[in-house]
Amino acid sequence: MQAAPVRATAIPSFADALRVVESVLMSGGQRTARRNAWNSVLEDRRRAKDRVEALRVLEQAATRP
């Protein structure tokens, strides 16, 4: 009895499959614009988190005697 053959390539993840579909459907410029927009969203979230942290520190400093 022979062993089953070993698969040499990895099974792509769902995210990889979505990227392939995106690359087929969208031109390079649209992909770049979408990626830039997402990076802007992430940067805005980071700034908002930093603002909340700075506000918390200022409020703590204001309440100290």
Side-chain angles (χ1 to χ4, degrees):
M1 189 170 193
Q2 292 185 356
V6 176
R7 192 177 195 131
T9 58
I11 298 173
S13 69
F14 184 71
D16 292 337
L18 285 178
R19 282 189 201 95
V20 169
V21 170
E22 178 189 43
S23 68
V24 170
L25 296 177
M26 299 176 114
S27 69
Q30 287 174 322
R31 275 195 312 269
T32 301
R34 187 169 181 239
R35 195 173 305 118
N36 288 344
W38 181 244
N39 286 336
S40 293
V41 167
L42 294 177
E43 183 64 20
D44 288 346
R45 288 178 181 176
R46 186 194 61 79
R47 280 194 212 113
K49 182 179 173 185
D50 290 346
R51 256 193 321 273
V52 168
E53 179 65 19
L55 182 61
R56 187 183 65 78
V57 169
L58 288 173
E59 288 174 349
Q60 282 182 347
T63 58
R64 288 186 183 164

